[in-house]
Amino acid sequence: MAKSVVLFLMLGLAIGLWLGFNPQAHSQTIQKWDSVKTAYLKIKAETTAKIQGLNSHLTLSLPSSPKSSSAPPSQPAVSSAWKQVSTAFEVIWSSMQKFWTNATAKIGTTR
């Protein structure tokens, strides 16, 4: 267990130093991070706006009628929010795959 932890820490240190001192890899990482961060903030803002709209819709409809056994009108909003969340995870996963491909391709090259 201790050997695995030490190996993991050494691997993290090596990757961190490689990213820190390789200008091309560093700029690509920053660029990808910015694109993922922008996509996340966009989805977060859209989701917050939809939740606020849903909350205002629910507060307006609650006093006028008692609870019914029919399905709530929020089903489409939940599915669209789930699509946004899954899209964000797909973007993050794709970015990580591209980064890993670039990192492993450039490890073997020498200048």
Side-chain angles (χ1 to χ4, degrees), residues 9 41 51 56 73 78-80 100 102:
L9 289 175
L41 291 175
I51 289 173
S56 66
V78 172
S79 65
S80 65
W100 183 253
N102 287 342

Side-chain angles (χ1 to χ4, degrees), residues 36-101:
V36 169
K37 185 176 168 184
T38 302
Y40 170 75
L41 291 175
K42 180 182 174 188
I43 290 171
K44 183 178 176 183
E46 291 173 357
T47 305
T48 303
K50 287 182 181 181
I51 289 173
Q52 288 175 349
L54 183 62
N55 283 343
S56 66
H57 176 70
L58 288 176
T59 56
L60 291 176
S61 65
L62 279 179
S64 63
S65 64
K67 289 186 178 180
S68 63
S69 62
S70 64
S74 64
Q75 286 293 351
V78 172
S79 65
S80 65
W82 179 251
K83 287 180 185 176
Q84 290 177 348
V85 169
S86 64
T87 301
F89 281 121
E90 288 173 4
V91 167
I92 291 170
W93 182 248
S94 173
S95 176
M96 289 174 62
Q97 286 178 333
K98 288 178 185 175
F99 170 74
W100 183 253
T101 303

Side-chain angles (χ1 to χ4, degrees), residues 26-46:
H26 181 73
S27 65
Q28 287 177 351
T29 304
I30 295 297
Q31 190 177 33
K32 286 182 172 89
W33 176 255
D34 288 341
S35 67
V36 169
K37 185 176 168 184
T38 302
Y40 170 75
L41 291 175
K42 180 182 174 188
I43 290 171
K44 183 178 176 183
E46 291 173 357

